[in-house]
């Protein structure tokens, strides 16, 4: 019943967008026709394929892919240039789920939540099913966010503009409340690993006072290197665990009979994907938030509204759909503040903003006055990019799934080398490689004693955000903590955090009784 309510609500929202928003439908139509030009479609395809490949390699993010392709857009017309960049943006966000599902390593930080149910599905011989569900939910979430961006960007950007230090802090607290939902069988063990993550997130230079904490190592001045930490915790720990088990080359069945989800799967994932796309669009529109936060929040919402929440974490389609639709939903959401306010929503749109400037356009409110045709070209390019990403993913999903059937004696060394190269590639610092190995050992030990790893990652993402924004707000209000709850949005996030924790605890107790 809850799922039906969510589906009807989101569909009603889409109908409202299409019928009541003041947009130039003729301009949208002409922009879509321009985006469907064969040359533009070719550029979008190149971007989408490149994005999927880059996103699937641990350590290489969509941001890096966009940055690599920006120089190639110099001299291009704005429509094919934007199309190629939108293609790599969408493809990169989906690509991260490939390695998350197949080798227990999120290709991008936004795919970290996909591991929770995606990898167990792969280990049960359902890698192809997981990949196809990930692809379709990514498409649904991305397309919904593109429609929201097209019809509601000025409205959503004005809402995002209301966020100050207090709202960002309570948003981070709401995100941290998800830890209870992703703690697995033991909430206590989940909280222990989350506290460990919060502790190591304090390492390095204090962002407010520039005070050096816990270490004098130069490579840790900016804090824990996130990507090497992610790769170590998930990829290397899995390699070490597989070596310990002395895998003799048994292959998991990865045959695929179809490249799209079955009708039954679509019925299951559609409500979750629509809700995830809406969540991703909203969180993505908040400058500084991103797909990683949106994915975990969406996962928690899906688990809380599920009829079988106790099955989450064991390999259920809804878990994969919730995470992937939300992180792809951020593609359109993050574009909203960039186009409307000239403020990039995340690191990807920060690089995209540079590409616009290079083309001679300055994102901001005047874009809607002086270059409305360009704005609608961006809308059209993102819509087309999601369809092209779906096509490229359908063509490649069979090949992706075969990776899991490779002999582990050949696969594990390849994963090890690829992981270490990815850890080095971010900052080109050999210290990051040694840190990655150390975190791999930590992750291996934690998994051996059944401590969940996802809370560490969530704490590393949200811990510094919560600390810095809380301290800034305390300076503004002279340390009066309860002033936080005098702001409506902050109060809403606080209430949502309390509800999230309560529901997760109740679900956990119910699961233990059964």
């Amino acid at each position: 019943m809850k799922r039906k309510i969510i589906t009807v609500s989101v569909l009603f929202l889409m109908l409202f967008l299409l019928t009541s928003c003041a947009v130039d439908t003729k301009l949208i139509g002409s922009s879509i026709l321009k985006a469907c030009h064969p040359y533009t479609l070719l550029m979008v395809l190149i971007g989408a394929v490149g994005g999927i490949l880059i996103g699937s390699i641990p350590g290489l993010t969509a941001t890096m892919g966009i940055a690599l392709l920006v120089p190639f857009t110099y001299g291009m017309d704005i429509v094919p240039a934007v199309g190629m960049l939108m293609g790599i943006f969408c493809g990169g966000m989906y690509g991260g789920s490939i390695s998350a599902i197949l080798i227990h390593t999120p290709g991008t930080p936004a795919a970290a939540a996909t591991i929770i149910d995606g990898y167990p599905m792969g280990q049960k011989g359902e890698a192809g099913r997981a990949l196809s569900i990930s692809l379709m939910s990514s498409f649904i979430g991305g397309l919904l966010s593109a429609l929201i961006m097209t019809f509601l960007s000025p409205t959503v950007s004005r809402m995002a503009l209301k966020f100050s230090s207090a709202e960002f802090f309570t948003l981070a607290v709401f995100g941290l409340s998800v830890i209870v939902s992703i703690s697995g069988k033991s909430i206590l063990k989940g909280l222990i690993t989350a506290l460990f993550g919060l502790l190591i997130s304090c390492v390095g230079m204090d962002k407010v006072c520039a005070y050096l904490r816990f270490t004098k190592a130069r490579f840790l001045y900016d804090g824990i290197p996130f990507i090497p930490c992610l790769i170590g915790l998930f990829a290397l720990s899995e390699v070490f665990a597989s070596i310990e088990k002395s895998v003799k080359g048994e292959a998991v069945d990865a045959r695929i009979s179809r490249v799209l989800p079955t009708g039954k799967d679509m019925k299951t994932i559609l409500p979750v994907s629509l809700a995830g796309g809406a969540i991703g669009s909203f969180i993505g529109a908040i400058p500084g938030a991103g797909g990683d936060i949106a994915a975990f929040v969406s996962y928690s919402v899906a688990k809380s509204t599920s009829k079988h929440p106790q099955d989450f974490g064991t390999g259920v389609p809804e878990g994969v759909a919730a995470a992937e639709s939300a992180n792809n939903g951020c593609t359109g959401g993050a574009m909203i503040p960039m186009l409307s306010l000239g403020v990039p929503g995340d690191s990807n749109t920060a690089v995209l903003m540079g590409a616009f400037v290079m083309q001679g356009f300055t994102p901001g409110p005047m874009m809607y006055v002086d270059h409305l045709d360009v704005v609608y070209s961006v809308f059209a390019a993102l819509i087309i990019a999601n369809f092209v990403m779906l096509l490229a993913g359908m063509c490649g999903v069979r090949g992706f799934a075969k990776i899991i059937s490779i002999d582990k004696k050949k696969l594990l060394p390849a994963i090890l080398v690829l992981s270490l190269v990815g850890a080095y590639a971010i900052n080109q610092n050999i210290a990051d490689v040694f840190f990655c190995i150390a975190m791999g050992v930590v992750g291996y030990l934690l998994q051996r004693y059944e401590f969940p790893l996802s809370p560490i990652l969530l704490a590393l993402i949200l811990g510094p955000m919560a600390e810095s924004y809380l301290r800034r707000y305390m300076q503004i209000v002279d340390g009066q903590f309860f002033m936080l709850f005098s702001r409506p949005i902050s109060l809403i996030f606080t209430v949502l955090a309390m509800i999230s924790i309560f529901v997760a605890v109740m679900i956990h107790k119910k699961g233990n009784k059964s």
Side-chain angles (χ1 to χ4, degrees), residues 247-265:
V247 178
K248 298 180 180 180
E250 297 90 346
V252 177
D253 184 8
R255 290 175 296 178
I256 297 180
S257 58
R258 55 195 303 141
V259 295
L260 288 177
T262 62
K264 184 179 179 181
D265 281 339

Side-chain angles (χ1 to χ4, degrees), residues 4 59 69 97 136 171 241 262 315 344 398 423 439-440 465 480 492:
K4 290 181 179 178
L69 280 186
S97 69
M136 183 54 67
L171 172 63
T262 62
R398 294 181 188 276
M439 292 308 296
M465 177 180 171
Q480 300 179 48
I492 290 171

Side-chain angles (χ1 to χ4, degrees), residues 366-396:
M366 294 307 294
M367 281 278 287
Y368 284 82
V369 178
D370 299 331
H371 304 290
L372 190 60
D373 58 328
V374 175
V375 173
Y376 282 116
S377 294
V378 175
F379 296 160
L382 187 58
I383 292 171
I384 297 298
N386 278 284
F387 282 97
V388 173
M389 178 204 71
L390 178 65
L391 177 63
M394 287 167 57
C395 294

Side-chain angles (χ1 to χ4, degrees), residues 64-314:
M64 187 179 294
I66 295 169
L68 289 171
L69 280 186
V70 163
F72 292 96
T73 64
Y74 186 75
M76 280 189 189
D77 184 67
I78 184 66
V79 178
V82 169
M84 184 166 70
L85 296 176
M86 290 295 100
I88 199 169
F89 192 7
C90 295
M93 296 300 282
Y94 160 67
S97 69
I98 296 171
S99 54
I101 292 168
L102 297 180
I103 61 173
H104 197 252
T105 309
T108 62
T114 309
I115 282 182
I116 302 173
D117 279 287
Y119 186 70
M121 285 186 73
Q123 292 303 291
K124 292 191 295 186
E126 298 181 335
R129 184 186 179 203
L131 287 170
S132 61
I133 288 171
S134 169
L135 175 63
M136 183 54 67
S137 55
S138 294
F139 168 72
I140 293 170
L143 184 61
L144 178 61
S145 76
L147 292 174
I148 290 174
M149 178 185 76
T150 302
F151 294 99
L152 274 184
S153 56
T155 304
V156 176
S157 63
R158 283 194 294 270
M159 290 176 59
L161 204 58
K162 296 181 182 295
F163 274 66
S164 68
S165 300
E167 284 76 17
F168 279 115
F169 168 69
T170 49
L171 172 63
V173 171
F174 174 48
L176 287 170
S177 71
V178 174
I179 285 170
V180 180
S181 297
I182 60 175
S183 293
K185 298 178 181 178
S186 172
I187 292 179
L188 179 60
K189 288 184 177 181
L191 292 176
I192 290 172
T193 53
L195 288 173
F196 172 70
L198 289 173
L199 180 64
I200 63 175
S201 73
C202 296
V203 172
M205 194 76 74
D206 183 341
K207 299 297 188 295
V208 178
C209 302
Y211 180 79
L212 193 60
R213 300 185 293 197
F214 297 113
T215 182
K216 292 185 179 180
R218 288 181 178 272
F219 81 102
L220 294 176
Y221 276 12
D222 291 330
I224 296 295
F226 182 72
I227 298 297
C229 180
L230 182 151
I231 293 172
L233 281 174
F234 290 97
L236 294 192
S237 66
E238 190 65 23
V239 170
F240 297 154
S242 296
I243 292 173
E244 184 195 30
K245 293 173 185 174
S246 302
V247 178
K248 298 180 180 180
E250 297 90 346
V252 177
D253 184 8
R255 290 175 296 178
I256 297 180
S257 58
R258 55 195 303 141
V259 295
L260 288 177
T262 62
K264 184 179 179 181
D265 281 339
M266 281 301 301
K267 185 179 178 181
T268 302
I269 69 171
L270 182 59
V272 178
S273 299
L274 289 172
I279 291 170
S281 299
F282 174 71
I283 293 180
I286 302 170
D292 36 18
I293 300 174
F296 279 107
V297 170
S298 176
Y299 183 88
S300 179
V301 170
K303 183 176 180 179
S304 300
T305 57
S306 174
K307 294 179 180 178
H308 49 87
Q310 68 279 359
D311 293 339
F312 276 64
T314 62

